[in-house]
Amino acid sequence: MATALSEEELDNEDYYSLLNVRREASSEELKAAYRRLCMLYHPDKHRDPELKLQAERLFNLVHQAYEVLSDPQTRAIYDIYGKRGLEMEGWEVVERRRTPAEIREEFERLQREREERRLQQRTNPKGTISVGIDATDLFDRYEEEYEDVSGSGFPQIEINKMHISQSIEAPLTASDTAILSGSLSTQNGNGGGSINFALRRVTSAKGWGELEFGAGDLQGPLFGLKLFRNLTPRCFVTTNCALQFSSRGIRPGLTTVLARNLDKNTVGYLQWRWGIQSAMNTSIVRDTKTSHFTVALQLGIPHSFALISYQHKFQDDDQTRVKGSLKAGFFGTVVEYGAERKISRHSVLGAAVSVGVPQGVSLKVKLNRASQTYFFPIHLTDQLLPSAVFYATVGPLVLYFALHRLVIRPYLRAQKEKELEKQRESTATDILQKKQEAEAAVQLMQESVRRIIEAEESRMGLIIVNAWYGKFVNDKSKKSEKVKVIDVTVPLQCLVKDSKLILTEASKVGARGPRGSGRKGVWGRGTDGSPSKGPFHCSRTSRAATLTAGCCPAPKLQPHWSL
């Protein structure tokens, strides 16, 4: 039985299998196969209108395959990129008689041009929403303050700050990009906003520059310049100069970062910041497939600290990560631990607990949805209370597993079923058309098979009595399963020439056969959908052979075999 076909499979015709030739076939072999199939499928050889129409379709497919494979240039393109490579815009201007390497280079150039045109019509929005929540009333309550207040039995949870930022990148040319960004912030009833415009230009493969202009109600106009440059293949430098205008005057700032790749997974950074919050910082970051490690030291005004953090990456489908960090400085000491996990195709959910002196205990929840970030820092207590640490750790875990089992998993399962149903609906028409073409091909072969059998009988040659392909259930435990095999007697007999059954090593997914499109599930699939790699097997008679293909072991039949 034919299995469901994906859209990619329906879009890619196997021209070698359609002509029943090897991928290394010479031009003479291609021409001989083409002539043989033209005689078989030529519309003028059939009088029935329906068969004539089907023969015309198959004849056109064979002619299209031969046109592609008979031309050295188009054959090289097809061998490298398949049928879709032939549809790339711009091939008509490519000089002929090029080598495969030159064709590959030309294809990549055309693809880059197409991507550049696509980038000019696309924006890259990024946004962040941060909502600060004050939940200290849950743990730091003083009952005497609420004795005379009605409704004081419920703790007060407030939103004390909020920050919203959004940016849009618009590629103007292949080297120029315009960036528009804005932000709004509010805290304890006071707020403000700003808007920035930047123009970035890639000057070469080694560097780029960016001009930035900004204005806001809290700060005055801003003028900035950013430069990036690769000094060596393993070393680069970034410089950011800024001038902030305010009522107090002009406040200049300069930040320079020098980085070097210590090895393929480790990068060292040296940072110097002058002006606003001057400081010197050095850090080493090691990022591997299973871990992420950072150690940093900063000396500056007003903040000096030492930091060490580690993140372990689990190699599972949900991309689970567990992390922990320790930060100590003039402001105090903070220990932070947490985890994050992928909950859908484009969403990652994470939570972290921050315990420090004198900061207290906080819970930070973050949701990344595509290019949007939602951040919720929840301040639980100003003191080091074991109860706050316990609930901040256990509460999110219990809530996550409950939501994952009751909401997330059922939702993802329903989405997957919808996608499968859409795929079945979109491919049903194509599958039906391919099945009709395959059945018509068998009918068109009948006359040729009759002549082949007569010729083989006259020379005591090879006659195929029965040929089946599929999965044969021999296990007693699977007797209840319905045996589903495909009768391929006629197509195989049509491949007999001079008492030889010619089966090329090319895949049979493109060959025309019974009960399907000639694709997956017709020649090369079992009933369970797995590829049937088993060879054809033969039980011989005096002048005939019964061929089967499936799961039963037997000696391999060579591609060229005769009785």
Side-chain angles (χ1 to χ4, degrees), residues 168-224:
I168 297 176
E169 296 184 5
L172 304 178
T173 65
S175 59
D176 296 329
T177 302
I179 305 170
L180 181 65
S181 61
S183 64
L184 292 173
S185 300
T186 178
Q187 183 173 359
N188 297 325
N190 298 319
S194 64
I195 185 169
N196 295 72
F197 174 78
L199 182 63
R200 181 186 302 159
R201 162 163 285 192
V202 179
T203 56
S204 66
K206 293 184 177 181
W208 53 265
E210 181 178 302
L211 286 174
E212 181 181 8
F213 305 91
D217 53 357
L218 297 181
Q219 300 291 340
L222 170 70
F223 173 77

Side-chain angles (χ1 to χ4, degrees), residues 329-517:
F330 294 163
F331 55 84
T333 302
V334 177
V335 176
E336 187 170 301
Y337 57 91
E340 65 179 37
R341 197 174 193 183
K342 188 175 181 180
I343 59 175
S344 68
R345 184 178 179 182
H346 302 290
S347 300
V348 177
L349 179 65
V353 180
S354 177
V355 182
V357 177
Q359 289 83 2
V361 182
S362 298
L363 172 63
K364 302 175 182 178
V365 180
K366 183 171 67 173
L367 174 64
N368 289 330
R369 173 68 178 174
S371 60
Q372 303 295 314
T373 301
Y374 305 90
F375 184 56
F376 302 91
I378 305 173
H379 188 51
L380 300 178
T381 175
D382 294 324
Q383 308 174 50
L384 294 182
L385 298 179
S387 58
V389 177
F390 174 79
Y391 286 112
T393 304
V394 177
L397 289 175
V398 174
L399 182 60
Y400 168 76
F401 285 111
L403 289 176
H404 187 267
R405 180 174 293 273
L406 300 177
V407 178
I408 298 176
R409 187 182 296 177
Y411 172 77
L412 294 178
R413 189 184 301 115
Q415 290 294 109
K416 188 175 182 179
E417 291 177 355
K418 287 182 180 179
E419 291 178 0
L420 290 175
E421 185 63 28
K422 289 181 179 179
Q423 184 179 4
R424 294 190 192 101
E425 292 177 358
S426 63
T427 58
T429 304
D430 295 317
I431 293 174
L432 179 60
Q433 179 182 354
K434 297 296 182 181
K435 182 178 178 180
Q436 292 174 350
E437 289 178 0
E439 293 175 347
V442 173
Q443 296 180 12
L444 296 174
M445 293 177 185
Q446 297 292 342
E447 182 62 27
S448 296
V449 167
R450 185 185 64 79
R451 293 196 301 268
I452 292 173
I453 291 177
E454 291 177 355
E456 293 299 318
E457 283 181 341
S458 63
R459 64 168 65 98
M460 298 294 291
L462 174 62
I463 298 176
I464 300 176
V465 178
N466 287 298
W468 303 90
Y469 197 89
K471 182 179 180 181
F472 295 85
V473 180
N474 296 327
D475 192 350
K476 295 182 179 179
S477 62
K478 299 182 179 180
K479 281 187 176 181
S480 58
E481 295 185 9
K482 184 178 180 181
V483 179
K484 298 178 181 179
V485 294
I486 303 170
D487 185 355
V488 292
T489 307
V490 173
L492 283 181
Q493 185 67 66
C494 195
L495 296 177
V496 174
K497 183 178 181 181
D498 298 330
S499 300
K500 294 181 180 180
L501 176 59
I502 303 174
L503 297 174
T504 64
E505 296 179 0
S507 171
K508 293 297 180 291
V509 296
R512 297 294 156 182
R515 296 181 58 80
S517 65

Side-chain angles (χ1 to χ4, degrees), residues 103-132:
I103 291 174
R104 182 187 294 273
E105 183 180 351
E106 185 68 18
F107 179 87
E108 292 175 353
R109 183 189 67 80
L110 292 172
Q111 193 172 33
R112 285 195 301 269
E113 291 181 356
R114 185 177 62 176
E115 289 297 327
E116 290 172 1
R117 291 195 300 269
R118 186 179 302 173
L119 283 175
Q120 294 176 10
Q121 303 173 355
R122 185 195 306 172
T123 61
N124 184 22
K126 297 179 182 178
T128 301
I129 298 178
S130 177
V131 179

Side-chain angles (χ1 to χ4, degrees), residues 132-137 156-160 377-380:
I133 301 175
D134 184 2
T136 55
D137 200 34
Q156 300 294 320
I157 299 178
E158 300 177 350
I159 296 177
N160 57 3
I378 305 173
H379 188 51
L380 300 178

Side-chain angles (χ1 to χ4, degrees), residues 291-364:
S291 64
H292 183 92
F293 178 77
T294 303
V295 58
L297 177 64
Q298 176 173 304
L299 298 176
I301 301 173
H303 297 299
S304 295
F305 63 86
L307 167 70
I308 182 171
S309 68
Y310 176 79
Q311 182 182 97
H312 183 75
K313 307 173 185 177
F314 292 91
Q315 303 302 308
D316 56 358
D317 295 336
D318 295 326
Q319 301 179 6
T320 306
R321 300 186 179 188
V322 178
K323 56 185 177 180
S325 66
L326 173 63
K327 187 176 182 181
F330 294 163
F331 55 84
T333 302
V334 177
V335 176
E336 187 170 301
Y337 57 91
E340 65 179 37
R341 197 174 193 183
K342 188 175 181 180
I343 59 175
S344 68
R345 184 178 179 182
H346 302 290
S347 300
V348 177
L349 179 65
V353 180
S354 177
V355 182
V357 177
Q359 289 83 2
V361 182
S362 298
L363 172 63
K364 302 175 182 178

